[in-house]
Amino acid sequence: MSGKLVIDTNEFLAALARLKPVAPRRRKTTLVGISKRIIEDDFYISFLFGEAVFSSHGVQTRCVVEQADWHGYVSTDFGMILTFLKVKPTGKTVTISFLGNKLKIDSFSITCQWAPVPDWIGSMSTEALFLSEKAKSRDEELFCPKCGKRQIIVLSHKPHLQLELDAPKPPKTLPNRQCKSCKHGWLEIL
């Protein structure tokens, strides 16, 4: 399996700049880096209706292609692609090609995964990636219903292994969340 895309260098760099995550506004003296979670994210390249589609989870951009022989999409690391914003290609065009499990952008080669799919399935896949959200930990969003603070402990209950005389019966539904500050417990339905 192989494929090839030829893109104008300015178009390629503009598309990557649109995908780069923006840091929050801070003072000019503060250094802001890209988080490790974003760098380890997946990056997808596909060709749909005469345009190259670059997408990651929740972000998608398109750019015009000069020449293409590409049927499917490639998945690789986002952090490796972002290096092209620091070290810009020197030529007039950028050639993106793959052979087997190697993606080659000009002379830079990285590992990738190739999925040979028809154009309509590739379109559905890129739209699903655009609309998807990364799985957030629900514990970050939860507030205590009694005091309103966001200090939550996730509880896991283990059954009693030893029988005790006059032991209190546990309630039928044990709480799975507890507030650190007021010790209020509740059952959160997941």
Side-chain angles (χ1 to χ4, degrees):
M1 291 182 255
S2 65
K4 181 178 176 181
L5 291 173
V6 178
I7 304 170
D8 184 53
T9 303
N10 294 332
E11 279 282 326
F12 177 70
L13 294 175
L16 289 184
R18 289 189 298 263
L19 287 175
K20 181 181 176 186
V22 178
R25 296 187 108 186
R26 296 187 184 180
R27 291 180 286 161
K28 292 181 180 179
T29 59
T30 306
L31 294 175
V32 178
I34 298 172
S35 69
K36 188 176 181 180
R37 177 181 52 86
I38 293 172
I39 290 174
E40 292 176 349
D41 202 3
D42 289 333
F43 179 73
Y44 301 91
I45 302 171
S46 61
F47 178 71
L48 298 171
F49 310 116
E51 295 178 322
V53 180
F54 301 125
S55 58
S56 186
H57 292 279
V59 183
Q60 181 181 25
T61 187
R62 298 172 184 256
C63 65
V64 179
V65 174
E66 293 179 5
Q67 180 184 357
D69 178 25
W70 195 277
H71 303 287
Y73 64 92
V74 167
S75 170
T76 188
D77 293 331
F78 191 39
M80 300 301 260
I81 301 296
L82 285 178
T83 58
F84 284 100
L85 291 175
K86 292 285 185 185
V87 182
K88 297 179 177 23
T90 57
K92 194 172 186 175
T93 60
V94 174
T95 304
I96 302 172
S97 61
F98 73 91
L99 182 62
N101 65 346
K102 291 290 183 186
L103 178 68
K104 188 174 181 183
I105 302 175
D106 280 344
S107 61
F108 182 68
S109 180
I110 55 176
T111 60
C112 70
Q113 293 179 345
W114 169 254
V117 295
D119 289 344
W120 64 276
I121 293 178
S123 174
M124 289 172 46
S125 175
T126 55
E127 289 299 319
L129 285 171
F130 178 67
L131 298 174
S132 73
E133 293 183 16
K134 285 300 227 180
K136 295 180 182 176
S137 174
R138 288 185 48 88
D139 299 328
E140 296 174 1
E141 303 170 0
L142 298 178
F143 292 90
C144 175
K146 187 174 180 183
C147 67
K149 294 185 180 177
R150 201 190 307 193
Q151 300 176 356
I152 297 170
I153 302 171
V154 178
L155 301 175
S156 62
H157 298 285
K158 297 177 183 175
H160 287 292
L161 299 176
Q162 181 180 0
L163 294 175
E164 299 175 8
L165 295 175
D166 296 331
K169 292 184 178 180
K172 290 183 180 179
T173 57
L174 296 171
N176 60 2
R177 302 287 189 265
Q178 183 179 7
C179 181
K180 287 182 185 177
S181 63
C182 70
K183 305 296 184 204
H184 174 69
W186 72 94
L187 180 65
E188 185 71 33
I189 300 172
L190 302 174

